[in-house]
Amino acid sequence: MGDKASAHPGAAGRATTAGHPTSVRNVVLVGHSGSGKTTLVEALALTAGAVNRAGRVEDGQTVSDHDEIEHRQQRSVQLSLVPVEWDGVKINLLDTPGYADFVGELRAGLRAADAALFVVSAAQDAGNIAGATRAVWEECAAVGMPRAIVVTHLDTARTDYAELTRVCGRVLGDDDPDAVLPLYLPLYGPQGPDGHAPVTGLAGLLTRRLFDYASGARTESRPGDDRLPLIETARNRLIEGIIAESEDETLMDRYLGGEEIDVKTLIGDLERAVARGVFHPVLAAAPAADGAGQGLGTVELLDLVTRGFPTPPEREAPAVTTPDGAPRPAVGCDPRGPLVAEVIRTASDPYVGRVSLVRVFSGTLRPDETVHVSGHGAPGRDQGDREDHDVDERVGALSVPFGRHQHPVRECIAGDLVCVARLTRAETGDTLSAKDDPLVMEPWVMPDPLLPLAVAAHGKADEDKLSQGLARLVAEDPTMRLEQNPDTRQLVLWCLGEAQREVALERLQSRYGVRVDAVPYRVSLRETFGERAVGRGRHVKQSGGHGQFAICEIEVDPLPPGAGIEFVDEVVGGSVPRPFIPSVEKGVRAQAARGVVAGHPLVDIRITLRDGKAHSVDSSDAAFQTAGALALREAAREAVIHLLEPVVTVRVLVPDDFVGPVMSDLSGRRGRVVGTEQAAPGRTLVRAEVPEIEIGRYAVDLRSLSHGAGQFSRSYARHEPMPQRVADRMREQSQNGL
């Protein structure tokens, strides 16, 4: 692959569209924030000739291609696409955000890609691989996605490439450390005054060749006798790792018998093992020192992508059904097949409006044709409150992105990615298909947003634009969920973390012109009677003319949790006329909905109407409704009222090392751990019941507690009495309007 005798020339100009699916590679870059993904994408684009450092004048300022890609990616929290060309192959590089809050963008990148490059920082990951990176690695392993590892930041002092590759093998080796091995070893230059030696080149293990990048151009030579022993030790282990995954069962016997295996055979077996996802090579890469030449390891990495990673036809497409859920045969990656494409990302452009990044899995997508948009509400697809899409839309212009610009293309064939303008109804995750043969692709798994953000319009002018702005925000990012809480009457935007929350607030103002205020999130509390109580409601008014007269006496008894509200009529002798008994019930139920102490709904009680009085002229439906409400309020003044809080069942999945801290933390939140079980090798599922008021920030706190390796889900269990000290605090906050 990159371990060949001659360097490959880059593409002349920018990549546009592919001629055939086999000439496309879709690669997603994965790594935590600061690992160097964006810098690596830039270095690859420079080496491939897709960008350059030469400036041009725009709007009176000199702007380079490098400035464009940097502007687009380093300040973005969205999935970014950078297409390059290498050896006649179009490579779609998908740069994903490194922040855990934007895992939805990462999942979209995984959906669009056929292979993954895991970017590991020698400076940050020397001790261990980030938990979030390990979790994504396991996701890729579960679906058999080919993976390779790229080590960055080799020039950082006190980095140990050999130790880091051992860590990668131990942590990411899928129970086989020999399936994760380096293809190259870094070469170091003379030590500087600080004792640090810079990385100047690479030693190719299979071909025993040295590749020197010190001059900014890749040059090749043979190693001297001083380097051969180090190369041979690593080379022998690499050969054994390749042969172990070879499809040729005779190769291991020949190797153990002393036969020198031909380099071309080894490279061929390596490429096939990488494409099958059973061997994961480790490479090193760094941008050119002067920013103008070939970056270290970039030629080798581009060769790996073009020769070792699978083509789109080699990867099975997601399952498809009709919009009503009927299964359909699997689609193949054929430009002449039926159109099946998927919206991977949705963004808003200030000049062209909504722009959709689309992966075409089958058929050919062309501008100005009408397609069918399906998704969200299809059978078996729980997308919350999202609108069901089952409409025809006209496709706008097709283009490929580059920095702040879009380059138009005539079509997009199966296996390729493209940006589509003016799909006003399509959202992330929707399927585009032929209008006379509508289909829906199986959706990819999205994390459940569990960090609430309650928002309110800042001023009167913002109220009219708020709902539209929030709807567009949620359309762009399916990991956010919008909820109108019927109990608290709050508008709640559910997010994955604080960073996503801050980005959402900033976008509402800068992109949609909506100023909002973040207000304290309130949980749905309830009230109930803790003991039997009686109340008398007297509503008597006489101000000349027709008056109001109604008196009723009630008895209130507590009921078991979940019983709701029961109304019992035990009036005897007609003291409350039969037509007004429903009026009393309506009045007490209305008061129960408003609450009797802190303004929270009243539940789990039996209200018995015992007696009352009426007037032949002045009694009315409205009067007895008022009397019923007054009677319930009076009963509450004489009784013990419990404040009920929602309790949720929490399921926390963490590595075994964090089980103790997680259980201790849950106990500190007034939680009750109800059980633990082994969920997978090295991972434990902790089940607990926790008051909802205590886990408002748990999405953030768990990430910190487990170093990004933990995840949790929650579901409503019941309401139960709140401790008195907490209830007193809540009542005080309610009285103060907080």
Side-chain angles (χ1 to χ4, degrees), residues 646-732:
V647 175
V648 295
T649 299
V650 177
R651 297 164 58 89
V652 188
L653 183 64
V654 291
D656 293 345
D657 294 343
F658 300 106
V659 172
V662 164
M663 293 175 65
S664 177
D665 178 72
L666 290 172
S667 298
R669 298 172 186 270
R670 297 191 285 122
R672 296 183 294 273
V673 176
V674 297
T676 62
E677 59 189 75
Q678 200 70 26
R683 298 179 75 83
T684 298
L685 180 67
V686 180
R687 291 177 286 108
E689 293 182 343
V690 190
E692 184 182 357
I693 197 172
E694 301 289 348
I695 62 167
R697 284 180 45 83
Y698 195 60
V700 178
D701 297 338
L702 176 62
R703 187 179 300 160
S704 175
L705 186 67
S706 64
H707 299 179
Q711 52 186 291
F712 82 105
S713 61
R714 49 176 275 183
S715 59
Y716 172 77
R718 62 187 174 277
H719 275 73
E720 65 180 31
M722 181 181 287
Q724 192 59 45
R725 56 181 177 81
V726 182
D728 291 342
R729 186 176 73 242
M730 296 299 295
R731 290 190 181 101
E732 182 180 351

Side-chain angles (χ1 to χ4, degrees), residues 172-472:
L172 306 177
D174 299 334
D175 299 326
D176 182 9
D178 288 335
V180 179
L181 294 172
L183 294 184
Y184 303 88
L185 298 181
L187 301 175
Y188 296 91
Q191 288 187 354
D194 59 354
H196 175 59
V199 179
T200 59
L202 299 171
L205 297 181
L206 289 182
T207 57
R208 300 186 182 96
R209 307 287 289 183
L210 304 184
F211 305 101
D212 189 354
Y213 283 86
S215 65
R218 183 177 185 260
T219 60
E220 184 181 337
S221 63
R222 294 187 178 278
D225 293 340
D226 58 328
R227 297 188 187 272
L228 276 176
L230 181 63
I231 292 176
E232 287 303 312
T233 300
R235 184 177 190 270
N236 290 336
R237 189 182 179 198
L238 174 62
I239 291 175
E240 292 172 3
I242 294 172
I243 292 176
E245 303 297 343
S246 174
E247 296 175 328
D248 185 352
E249 297 179 355
T250 68
L251 202 59
M252 180 62 76
D253 292 335
R254 291 160 51 193
Y255 175 72
L256 294 177
E259 180 181 338
E260 180 74 18
I261 307 300
D262 181 68
V263 172
K264 290 185 178 179
T265 300
L266 291 172
I267 292 177
D269 279 345
L270 169 65
E271 292 170 352
R272 285 187 288 273
V274 171
R276 295 190 346 257
V278 296
F279 187 83
H280 316 292
V282 182
L283 299 89
D290 59 1
Q294 292 178 326
L296 181 142
T298 53
V299 170
E300 290 76 13
L301 187 52
L302 289 167
D303 280 341
L304 168 70
V305 170
T306 55
R307 300 182 58 190
F309 281 171
T311 65
E314 294 177 277
R315 297 286 296 167
E316 184 178 351
V320 296
T321 66
T322 62
D324 60 4
R328 291 287 300 271
V331 297
C333 188
D334 183 357
R336 296 167 297 181
L339 177 64
V340 180
E342 190 170 33
V343 178
I344 301 300
R345 173 176 59 78
T346 308
S348 295
D349 186 279
Y351 301 104
V352 299
R354 180 178 291 186
V355 177
S356 303
L357 177 61
V358 173
R359 161 80 190 254
V360 180
F361 287 91
S362 173
T364 300
L365 185 65
R366 297 180 178 87
D368 297 324
E369 68 178 352
T370 300
V371 298
H372 189 81
V373 179
S374 302
H376 296 316
R381 292 168 172 81
D382 182 11
Q383 295 289 342
D385 296 331
R386 293 178 181 273
E387 179 186 1
D388 181 10
H389 292 157
D390 194 20
V391 297
D392 291 339
E393 275 207 82
R394 191 177 184 84
V395 175
L398 304 185
S399 61
V400 292
F402 186 82
R404 289 170 287 181
H405 297 274
Q406 299 284 335
H407 299 276
V409 296
R410 293 188 298 272
E411 64 180 18
C412 181
I413 64 169
D416 206 353
L417 288 98
V418 72
C419 290
V420 182
R422 299 198 304 272
L423 287 178
T424 58
R425 295 292 300 278
E427 297 180 1
T428 301
D430 283 348
T431 302
L432 309 181
S433 56
K435 63 178 181 179
D436 55 350
D437 186 19
L439 299 170
V440 182
M441 299 197 79
E442 180 183 37
W444 68 83
V445 177
M446 281 292 186
D448 190 15
L450 297 170
L451 182 69
L453 169 64
V455 296
H458 181 74
K460 184 66 176 177
D462 302 302
E463 291 181 358
D464 297 335
K465 299 183 292 183
L466 179 58
S467 59
Q468 182 181 6
L470 288 171
R472 295 176 67 181

Side-chain angles (χ1 to χ4, degrees), residues 518-533:
V519 298
Y521 171 72
R522 299 194 300 271
V523 301
S524 301
L525 301 179
R526 301 285 188 268
E527 298 172 356
T528 193
F529 277 66
E531 59 186 3
R532 172 175 289 186

